[in-house]
Amino acid sequence: MKLEEFYKKNKLKEGNLIEITFENEKISGTIIPTNSKMLTLKFSTGYNAGFDIKKIKNVKILGQSKSVGKIEKQKIKKNPNLPTISLLHTGGTIASRVDYRTGGVYASFDGDDIATMFPELIKTTNINSILVSNMMSEDMNSEHYKKIVNAIEKETKNKIKGIIIGHGTDTLGYSSAYLSFALENCPLPVILVGAQRSSDRGSSDAAMNLVCAAEFIKKTNFKGVAICMHNSTNDDYCAILPATKTRKIHSSRRDAFKTINDTPIALINYKTKEIKWIKNKKKFENQNGKFLIKNKFEKKVGLLKMHPGINEKLIDFYKKEKYKGLIIEGTGLGHTPTGEKEVFIKKIKDLIKSGCIVAMTSQCINGRVNPRVYSNARILSNLGVIYCEDMLPETAFVKLAWLLGNYSKKEAEELLAKNLREEISDFSRVNVFEH
Amino acid sequence: MKLEEFYKKNKLKEGNLIEITFENEKISGTIIPTNSKMLTLKFSTGYNAGFDIKKIKNVKILGQSKSVGKIEKQKIKKNPNLPTISLLHTGGTIASRVDYRTGGVYASFDGDDIATMFPELIKTTNINSILVSNMMSEDMNSEHYKKIVNAIEKETKNKIKGIIIGHGTDTLGYSSAYLSFALENCPLPVILVGAQRSSDRGSSDAAMNLVCAAEFIKKTNFKGVAICMHNSTNDDYCAILPATKTRKIHSSRRDAFKTINDTPIALINYKTKEIKWIKNKKKFENQNGKFLIKNKFEKKVGLLKMHPGINEKLIDFYKKEKYKGLIIEGTGLGHTPTGEKEVFIKKIKDLIKSGCIVAMTSQCINGRVNPRVYSNARILSNLGVIYCEDMLPETAFVKLAWLLGNYSKKEAEELLAKNLREEISDFSRVNVFEH
């Protein structure tokens, strides 16, 4: 049955507030226009989702809700006098008109869609719209990372001012770290943009984040990878955030992304479009090294958070599965339990002996790990556990997988706790013991 | 060889700045007085640590450092006119004169030690000093939790105003959550206190945190479990923090403990000793329910953080090990990868079928999980994954282990996402979608 037939059979119209019943749940929302085969509902929270009509057991009309606009495409022409930005779509809330459960089939991110969704963006910019993937970011993995890097490489050969990547927010921080490592001496700006509210909601942050990213690309000579998201819950500033030191620290707020152990790079005033640099802009604008793409990722790398009573057999798991790297998210300054008769320490020793690089970060998130303060950490450090300074656990995980993909084990060990892409702050600059 | 002989042989004096060489490392620091068998050094960071002299290969005197005081015991008498507080010692930096690697042998936490270490504390309070354990908190597990609860139960039978628990900071948040669940309708204040700098450092927070906890106990009729730590990096206020909604979010700062999705309960002005309530004090002072101790903890409960490309066999691990509970630290609003051919989802389904309770929290830390926004989470929720609202992952882990220890599986499932000890905020009060 097609969606039109489903509408007809159940006497539904776009804009109806309905309740649909599945085998195990009831869901209510307002029918919104869609190009997909799925029944698409907007919830009272403002989020949209698509539903397979074959699985719907019953439909009840709760009432005529406020009317919703049709998707009317605007035809746009490129203006040779405007700068061009390539917009790579990977999915996520920022593109949430589309139903993700259908795969890429119904996605049609051409320039016309962008014009409809973000008219402000196309007024001052030519947009090359490229579909890389179409997924919620919790499903992103290294195969998708590679695709994104390949798409970026292709775009760098075109006459463009920069690249914006639309990305789901769940794992945006992991992806930004990967791109940062994979694109050595990136010759143009690559700005990841997400949204915490879908673009068809009144409170959506999608348009502002995109427009600010485009303004930053147009008005500066920034080179490298960064993130552009709301700086606060107000619609006043967006922040350009460092790709390796930023984390999603709120599940729903629009200013969910914050730098950890670092500061934003710059702010963009949404009203005046002025750029206010926080970090020294020369550092980002004067970068002229040879552009190298290192696009390999070792899949046998894990990230394991410690907790009281954690089972030491988990360490065996990584040994049995022949892991090449493991980032531990320890407690405090970088600790694991010792375990009864030091069994936990022994398991880590065995894992290292098996050839796996084991490294330490902190579940405190903020601050630096330090193996010199308490004896437990000194033992781990002496076994060969690499202490990752003030690197985020997520960035350390991505970095180790990237290092093991592109370098020898020895090089990976040497480079892990060395600063390559601003993922480690200078200890003398941010002295954690001075607080 | 005894420490005195080691000093003599190497011509060392207390106060000497020395460098010691081990098989794989060199460490330098100032020799400080100790009652232990270990050579005890103060590092330039201000932390102390003890070293086994048998393992030292070489010693080099770098110079005479500033002189350090001797530990001189003060003899104190209890004053019947002062209120009495029981101080339970479990270890950690707050008691860091003691060397932890030696076990409990050298610990001597009697009232005289307290007088020496915290003279301000004993001026206005009689202290019952009780040694429960002596360890860094990364080694704490449910057996220690039970001991602490037993010690608290014993103390509640004495004529005391309240209890302070000295605790290592690494897992203080996990312990405070456990005590909160285990002590139902606790009839007196139980305040956990840690320190980020050892008590013999100039910048130590130990004394102020202890004194503020004692002031709060003496000046209020607070009942229940809470944490007392520095409110900022200044020495102006300590905060009384809710036991189930507080997390160590910095590896080294003195104000490392912050409430998540909540506010502090009260502030204590260190100078004036005034109490400023932030939450409604009636709620904490008028609690009169029957005091029940529920002191069981199911060890087969895990906490697993998601990351891109996470191995689905980790879910099998918990099934094979016959786990009864697993808290997932998902991405964003509470997501896991779907996995190729939905394998990740299927593994979770199998784990639930095996009898394990699986529940969801967010690695964003701040904010609420919600299974109704995106289809991926809806699938998990329909499989029976319990979404833990705005509970901290660490609190959810402790709560599930406590529920499975003290209730039936069915009751545990029902109670996990229900608010029992202020671990879940009222949704209408903290509406995550309003930001």
Side-chain angles (χ1 to χ4, degrees):
Chain A
M1 184 161 53
K2 281 185 181 170
L3 188 58
E4 294 78 44
E5 292 165 30
F6 179 80
Y7 280 177
K8 207 172 170 185
K9 185 188 143 204
N10 292 288
K11 292 175 185 156
L12 302 178
K13 278 191 299 187
E14 286 171 2
N16 275 148
L17 180 65
I18 63 168
E19 183 186 78
I20 50 177
T21 307
F22 294 92
E23 197 165 325
N24 295 314
E25 66 172 337
K26 284 182 182 186
I27 285 165
S28 60
T30 302
I31 304 173
I32 57 168
T34 179
N35 296 326
S36 110
K37 286 181 184 171
M38 314 278 263
L39 173 68
T40 305
L41 297 184
K42 179 186 281 296
F43 303 135
S44 57
T45 58
Y47 288 93
N48 303 341
F51 299 91
D52 184 348
I53 53 176
K54 276 177 279 176
K55 292 183 181 166
I56 297 172
K57 306 282 177 201
N58 193 30
V59 181
K60 203 165 106 187
I61 299 178
L62 301 176
Q64 179 75 25
S65 193
K66 56 187 173 192
S67 69
V68 288
K70 281 267 178 195
I71 296 178
E72 278 172 29
K73 284 201 177 190
Q74 286 177 248
K75 203 71 199 166
I76 51 153
K77 279 183 187 170
K78 287 199 176 162
N79 180 342
N81 299 319
L82 293 179
T84 299
I85 290 174
S86 292
L87 180 50
L88 310 189
H89 302 275
T90 71
T93 302
I94 194 159
S96 72
R97 276 195 192 271
V98 181
D99 184 287
Y100 292 98
R101 303 295 291 168
T102 61
V105 184
Y106 302 100
S108 58
F109 277 106
D110 55 24
D112 300 347
D113 281 312
I114 303 300
T116 314
M117 290 171 77
F118 310 108
E120 200 184 341
L121 186 67
I122 54 116
K123 268 185 218 162
T124 55
T125 322
N126 292 321
I127 298 290
N128 288 337
S129 195
I130 297 134
L131 185 72
V132 179
S133 65
N134 188 19
M135 67 203 314
M136 299 315 276
S137 71
E138 65 263 28
D139 276 326
M140 274 243 176
N141 60 39
S142 55
E143 297 307 313
H144 307 106
Y145 294 168
K146 287 178 193 171
K147 269 191 193 173
I148 299 170
V149 170
N150 290 338
I152 291 170
E153 186 181 14
K154 204 173 155 195
E155 289 309 301
T156 57
K157 288 164 188 164
N158 296 329
K159 272 192 183 167
I160 56 169
K161 187 77 175 77
I163 295 170
I164 294 175
I165 300 170
H167 197 291
T169 56
D170 266 30
T171 66
L172 191 148
Y174 294 89
S175 296
S176 68
Y178 181 73
L179 295 183
S180 201
F181 290 114
L183 305 167
E184 195 166 298
N185 299 316
C186 187
L188 43 68
V190 173
I191 312 291
L192 290 101
V193 175
Q196 290 281 82
R197 316 290 158 79
S198 59
S199 52
D200 46 1
R201 287 185 67 190
S203 68
S204 174
D205 47 340
M208 179 169 151
N209 294 346
L210 273 174
V211 167
C212 285
E215 289 297 321
F216 183 73
I217 289 172
K218 287 185 289 180
K219 290 199 172 134
T220 73
N221 290 311
F222 179 88
K223 293 167 188 168
V225 183
I227 296 163
C228 182
M229 292 290 286
H230 265 54
N231 188 52
S232 74
T233 51
N234 299 325
D235 287 337
D236 46 6
Y237 288 93
C238 272
I240 299 293
L241 303 160
T244 55
K245 288 192 94 68
T246 298
R247 194 178 189 279
K248 185 176 183 180
I249 61 154
H250 199 285
S251 62
S252 63
R253 278 169 65 142
R254 290 184 294 173
D255 60 338
F257 284 81
K258 296 287 179 201
T259 51
I260 305 289
N261 300 321
D262 204 351
T263 66
I265 296 166
L267 298 178
I268 300 112
N269 185 320
Y270 184 47
K271 209 170 168 185
T272 66
K273 308 290 188 279
E274 274 173 301
I275 312 292
K276 187 185 164 190
W277 286 86
I278 295 173
K279 295 195 172 206
N280 184 350
K281 73 170 183 171
K282 281 182 194 167
K283 194 173 168 182
F284 301 100
E285 295 196 328
N286 296 351
Q287 182 275 102
N288 288 307
K290 190 175 186 313
F291 180 36
L292 294 172
I293 290 174
K294 295 174 178 170
N295 196 15
K296 283 178 193 155
F297 188 101
E298 171 55 57
K299 287 183 184 179
K300 291 274 185 186
V301 174
L303 171 61
L304 186 65
K305 176 173 170 160
M306 296 295 103
H307 61 81
I310 187 168
N311 194 331
E312 70 274 2
K313 289 182 191 164
L314 275 166
I315 304 293
D316 282 338
F317 171 88
Y318 292 99
K319 190 182 153 196
K320 276 180 205 153
E321 292 285 326
K322 298 190 169 59
Y323 266 60
K324 297 189 176 167
L326 177 64
I327 301 294
I328 292 176
E329 208 175 270
T331 57
L333 290 163
H335 305 119
T336 68
T338 315
E340 213 167 319
K341 295 182 184 168
E342 302 206 337
V343 64
F344 207 91
I345 303 284
K346 280 176 193 156
K347 296 283 184 191
I348 291 174
K349 195 174 173 180
D350 289 347
L351 181 60
I352 292 172
K353 265 192 186 165
S354 79
C356 182
I357 296 177
V358 178
M360 184 63 76
T361 61
S362 175
Q363 61 187 255
C364 294
I365 303 172
N366 299 278
R368 192 175 288 268
V369 291
N370 187 336
R372 301 279 149 220
V373 179
Y374 297 111
S375 43
N376 205 337
R378 216 161 39 233
I379 293 168
L380 292 171
S381 173
N382 288 343
L383 289 180
V385 173
I386 298 167
Y387 274 66
C388 292
E389 302 289 345
D390 71 337
M391 223 191 307
L392 279 168
E394 296 84 0
T395 297
F397 158 71
V398 168
K399 183 179 179 180
L400 183 53
W402 173 78
L403 284 171
L404 286 167
N406 298 281
Y407 296 89
S408 70
K409 189 194 166 198
K410 197 165 168 284
E411 287 169 320
E413 282 172 328
E414 283 167 11
L415 292 170
L416 184 58
K418 280 196 184 140
N419 182 39
L420 300 180
R421 304 281 193 276
E422 301 300 314
E423 72 278 16
I424 295 170
S425 311
D426 184 357
F427 192 63
S428 61
R429 186 163 58 82
V430 190
N431 191 334
V432 292
F433 294 112
E434 289 312 302
H435 294 288
Chain B
M1 185 161 51
K2 283 186 179 167
L3 188 58
E4 294 77 45
E5 292 165 29
F6 179 81
Y7 280 177
K8 206 170 168 187
K9 186 187 144 202
N10 292 288
K11 293 174 184 155
L12 303 179
K13 278 190 297 185
E14 286 172 359
N16 273 148
L17 180 64
I18 62 167
E19 183 185 79
I20 49 177
T21 308
F22 294 91
E23 196 164 328
N24 296 312
E25 64 173 337
K26 283 183 182 183
I27 286 165
S28 60
T30 301
I31 303 173
I32 57 168
T34 179
N35 297 325
S36 110
K37 286 181 184 170
M38 315 277 263
L39 173 68
T40 305
L41 296 184
K42 181 185 279 296
F43 301 137
S44 58
T45 58
Y47 288 92
N48 302 341
F51 299 92
D52 185 348
I53 53 174
K54 277 178 277 176
K55 292 184 180 166
I56 298 172
K57 307 281 178 200
N58 192 30
V59 182
K60 204 165 107 186
I61 300 177
L62 300 177
Q64 180 74 25
S65 194
K66 55 187 174 194
S67 70
V68 288
K70 281 265 177 195
I71 297 178
E72 277 172 30
K73 283 200 177 188
Q74 285 178 246
K75 203 75 200 166
I76 50 152
K77 279 184 189 170
K78 285 195 179 166
N79 180 342
N81 300 319
L82 293 179
T84 299
I85 290 174
S86 292
L87 179 50
L88 310 188
H89 302 276
T90 71
T93 302
I94 194 159
S96 73
R97 275 193 192 272
V98 181
D99 185 287
Y100 293 97
R101 302 296 292 171
T102 61
V105 184
Y106 301 102
S108 57
F109 277 107
D110 56 24
D112 300 346
D113 282 312
I114 303 300
T116 313
M117 290 170 79
F118 311 109
E120 201 185 341
L121 186 66
I122 54 115
K123 267 185 221 163
T124 55
T125 323
N126 291 321
I127 297 290
N128 289 337
S129 194
I130 297 134
L131 185 72
V132 179
S133 65
N134 188 20
M135 66 200 316
M136 301 314 277
S137 72
E138 64 265 27
D139 276 327
M140 277 246 174
N141 61 40
S142 54
E143 296 307 312
H144 307 106
Y145 295 168
K146 286 178 195 173
K147 270 192 193 174
I148 300 171
V149 170
N150 290 338
I152 292 169
E153 188 181 13
K154 204 174 154 193
E155 289 309 300
T156 57
K157 288 166 188 166
N158 297 329
K159 274 193 182 166
I160 56 168
K161 187 77 176 77
I163 296 169
I164 294 176
I165 300 171
H167 197 290
T169 56
D170 267 29
T171 65
L172 191 149
Y174 294 90
S175 297
S176 68
Y178 180 74
L179 295 183
S180 201
F181 289 114
L183 304 167
E184 197 166 295
N185 299 318
C186 186
L188 43 68
V190 173
I191 312 292
L192 291 103
V193 175
Q196 291 280 83
R197 315 291 156 78
S198 59
S199 51
D200 46 1
R201 286 184 67 190
S203 69
S204 174
D205 47 342
M208 178 170 152
N209 294 346
L210 273 174
V211 166
C212 285
E215 289 298 320
F216 183 73
I217 289 173
K218 288 185 288 180
K219 291 200 171 133
T220 73
N221 290 310
F222 179 87
K223 292 166 188 169
V225 183
I227 297 163
C228 181
M229 292 290 286
H230 265 54
N231 188 52
S232 75
T233 52
N234 300 325
D235 287 337
D236 46 6
Y237 289 93
C238 272
I240 299 293
L241 303 160
T244 55
K245 290 190 92 69
T246 297
R247 192 178 190 281
K248 184 176 183 180
I249 61 154
H250 200 285
S251 63
S252 63
R253 278 170 65 142
R254 291 184 292 172
D255 60 339
F257 284 79
K258 296 289 178 200
T259 51
I260 306 290
N261 300 320
D262 204 349
T263 65
I265 294 166
L267 298 179
I268 300 112
N269 185 322
Y270 184 47
K271 209 171 167 183
T272 66
K273 307 291 189 279
E274 275 174 297
I275 312 292
K276 187 186 163 187
W277 286 88
I278 295 172
K279 295 196 173 202
N280 185 350
K281 73 169 181 171
K282 284 183 194 165
K283 195 172 167 181
F284 301 100
E285 295 196 327
N286 297 352
Q287 184 272 103
N288 287 309
K290 190 174 183 325
F291 180 36
L292 294 172
I293 291 174
K294 295 176 178 170
N295 195 15
K296 284 178 190 156
F297 187 100
E298 170 55 58
K299 287 183 184 177
K300 290 274 185 185
V301 174
L303 171 61
L304 186 65
K305 174 172 170 161
M306 296 294 103
H307 61 80
I310 187 168
N311 194 332
E312 69 275 2
K313 289 180 192 164
L314 275 166
I315 304 295
D316 282 338
F317 171 86
Y318 291 99
K319 190 181 153 197
K320 275 178 205 154
E321 292 286 325
K322 298 191 169 54
Y323 265 60
K324 295 190 177 164
L326 178 64
I327 300 294
I328 293 177
E329 208 176 273
T331 58
L333 290 162
H335 304 119
T336 69
T338 316
E340 213 168 318
K341 294 181 185 168
E342 302 206 338
V343 65
F344 207 90
I345 302 285
K346 279 174 194 157
K347 295 283 184 192
I348 291 175
K349 196 175 174 178
D350 289 346
L351 181 59
I352 293 173
K353 265 193 187 164
S354 78
C356 182
I357 296 178
V358 178
M360 183 64 76
T361 60
S362 175
Q363 62 187 252
C364 294
I365 303 171
N366 298 279
R368 194 175 285 269
V369 292
N370 187 336
R372 301 278 147 218
V373 178
Y374 296 112
S375 43
N376 205 338
R378 219 162 34 234
I379 292 168
L380 293 171
S381 173
N382 288 342
L383 288 180
V385 174
I386 298 167
Y387 274 65
C388 292
E389 302 290 345
D390 71 338
M391 223 191 311
L392 279 168
E394 295 84 0
T395 297
F397 159 70
V398 168
K399 183 179 179 181
L400 183 53
W402 173 79
L403 285 171
L404 285 167
N406 297 282
Y407 296 88
S408 71
K409 189 194 167 197
K410 198 165 167 284
E411 287 169 319
E413 281 172 329
E414 282 166 12
L415 292 170
L416 184 58
K418 279 192 186 144
N419 182 37
L420 300 180
R421 304 280 194 276
E422 301 299 315
E423 73 277 16
I424 294 170
S425 311
D426 184 359
F427 192 64
S428 61
R429 186 163 60 85
V430 189
N431 191 333
V432 291
F433 294 112
E434 289 312 303
H435 293 289

